């Protein structure tokens, strides 16, 4: 039987590759934090639902108002938020219909069944609701435009507003 030279060479080299290194175990020094390294954030403490209800209710009314085509939801937005989304500090009422028209019919239908079950502490003593934490009756809406990746809510006296 004649063995091809390539196969014979491979069979001779293979055992030699397994013998490299001399140790079966790879060792590494223990990892220790260095000064200035950022530490992983602690898990966000759950905030009681009763405490967050007024803020969550504002976001709920905003999202349901978008579905209903109610430009009155602009009252839930701070001037800074209106500037970022609509281009001016009081531009929501003028730009609401245009911005809502960019939503798909499926998104508007989904907004009719959205709820805001939870939120987490946010910057400045407010709360943050991430888009993926919203609860939908059916298929969720697509984020974008009026539906940002997260909503930050801050209290101003007895009122809550959606802000940046």
């Amino acid at each position: 039987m004649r063995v091809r030279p390539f196969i014979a060479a491979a069979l001779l080299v293979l055992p030699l590759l397994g013998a490299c290194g001399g140790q079966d175990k790879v060792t590494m020094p223990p990892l220790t934090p260095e000064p200035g390294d950022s530490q992983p954030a602690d898990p966000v403490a759950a905030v009681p639902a009763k405490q967050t209800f007024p803020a969550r209710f504002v976001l709920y009314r905003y999202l349901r108002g978008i579905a209903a085509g109610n430009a009155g939801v602009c009252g839930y937005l701070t001037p800074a938020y209106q500037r970022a989304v609509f281009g001016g500090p009081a531009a929501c009422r003028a730009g609401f219909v245009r911005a809502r028209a960019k939503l798909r019919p499926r998104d508007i239908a989904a907004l009719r069944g959205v709820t805001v079950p939870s939120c987490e502490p946010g910057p400045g003593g407010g709360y943050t609701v991430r888009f993926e934490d919203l609860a939908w009756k059916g298929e969720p809406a697509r984020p974008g435009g009026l539906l940002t990746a997260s909503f930050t809510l801050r209290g101003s006296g007895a009122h809550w507003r959606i802000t940046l």
Side-chain angles (χ1 to χ4, degrees), residues 12-85:
L12 290 175
V13 173
L14 227 73
L16 296 174
L17 291 175
C20 292
Q23 291 184 359
D24 292 339
K25 188 166 118 180
V26 176
T27 60
M28 188 172 166
L31 297 176
T32 57
E34 296 293 324
D37 283 352
S38 63
Q39 297 294 320
D42 292 331
V44 177
V47 182
K50 187 176 181 179
Q51 180 181 339
T52 64
F53 178 77
R56 291 183 297 114
F57 189 63
V58 165
L59 182 57
Y60 168 84
R61 301 248 343 233
Y62 172 71
L63 295 171
R64 292 286 181 107
I66 291 171
N70 181 2
V73 298
C74 295
Y76 297 124
L77 308 176
T78 62
Y81 190 87
Q82 289 187 48
R83 188 178 303 111
V85 175

Side-chain angles (χ1 to χ4, degrees), residues 110-145:
L111 286 171
R112 289 187 180 110
V114 70
T115 58
V116 186
S118 65
C119 59
E120 53 192 43
Y127 299 110
T128 299
V129 178
R130 295 176 302 165
F131 189 82
E132 60 265 15
D133 292 337
L134 296 172
W136 306 91
K137 275 188 179 176
E139 182 182 330
R142 178 179 58 185

Side-chain angles (χ1 to χ4, degrees), residues 90-105:
C92 177
R93 290 202 183 270
F96 179 78
V97 174
R98 235 181 357 260
R100 185 179 181 274
K102 292 180 182 176
L103 295 173
R104 301 177 305 172

